[in-house]
Amino acid sequence: MSTVLPPAGPGAAASWAADPYGRALSRGRGPLFLRGMDGWLLPLDVERWCAAADAADLSALRRCEGPVIDIGCGPGRLVAALAARGHRALGIDVSEAAVGRTRRTGGAALRRSVFEPLPGEGRWGTALLVDGNIGIGGDPRVLLRRIATVLAPGGLLITEAAPHDVDERVRVRLDDGREQAGTAPHFPWARVGVSALLLHARSQSWKPVGQWEADGRPFLALRRARTVRTTSQDADTANSAAVMSSQLPRNLSGDIPLAGS
């Protein structure tokens, strides 16, 4: 029986597409925070996101295999770095500002939630979840289950964990300190450290194949189980990929995984 996955929700998409995030990306700097309902603040490192890929990023990119999908690509530094190194790569993000900036830096990107149909489902070699994006949707197990359907059997997930031993679910909104930011909708988010992420990954049949730290940022490499896909699942994947490939940016030649890397 196939599992029906929940959408990211209108709150999440609306928040990341809202003015605080777009303004921060247009400036290339913060301040920008995730603010919890109890006032808790998580600073977002907009300056690093808008810069070129750094040494910690490259430690992850060197491990990429085959065509790469960057989930929650933001302003696109990883997609651009992969493209510059000859990788076939696609970024997805719910923010129009993020997708636009990714394309301007030379990367390919689509405005899409990971919980929506994606091009090449079931055939990507590597998925990236960095900069805290394991928190997307507020439930790491659901997100890991979804990414298993995006990757090819035996595909690789490279994800960044929180730098602390934490495993929490919160409702947050984007906040840049402006008065009107208080009206932004809340959406679910999660923060997980290495121990919790390993626990969640194993519960979803992911095999840990690498663990390292670079510049204080902890990373994990997880291998997707080589499960047998059913005929109906293959047909659904092919149909969704065919529909979505017509919406790819012009600098992509159809469905990236079919082209190889």
Side-chain angles (χ1 to χ4, degrees), residues 46-119:
V46 178
E47 289 86 348
R48 180 171 61 81
W49 296 353
C50 290
D54 60 19
D57 297 326
L58 295 178
S59 75
L61 299 188
R62 282 194 294 269
R63 291 170 165 83
C64 289
E65 303 170 356
V68 182
I69 185 166
D70 184 6
I71 298 166
C73 66
R77 75 186 190 282
L78 302 183
V79 179
L82 286 165
R85 287 160 175 74
H87 275 272
R88 304 275 297 179
L90 174 69
I92 62 166
D93 203 291
V94 298
S95 164
E96 184 176 358
V99 169
R101 181 156 181 151
T102 299
R103 292 177 181 176
R104 288 192 296 273
T105 60
L110 289 174
R111 187 177 181 186
R112 198 78 70 233
S113 164
V114 66
F115 295 110
E116 296 176 318
L118 298 174

Side-chain angles (χ1 to χ4, degrees), residues 4 12 14 40 58 78 90 102 106 112 125 127 158 162 173 191 194 196 201 207 225 231 237:
V4 177
W40 164 89
L58 295 178
L78 302 183
L90 174 69
T102 299
R112 198 78 70 233
I158 297 175
R173 59 176 169 80
R191 295 179 67 227
V194 170
K207 179 182 178 182
T231 302
T237 295

Side-chain angles (χ1 to χ4, degrees), residues 150-165:
V150 174
L151 286 173
L156 189 68
L157 169 62
I158 297 175
T159 183
E160 181 178 352
H164 310 292
D165 190 12

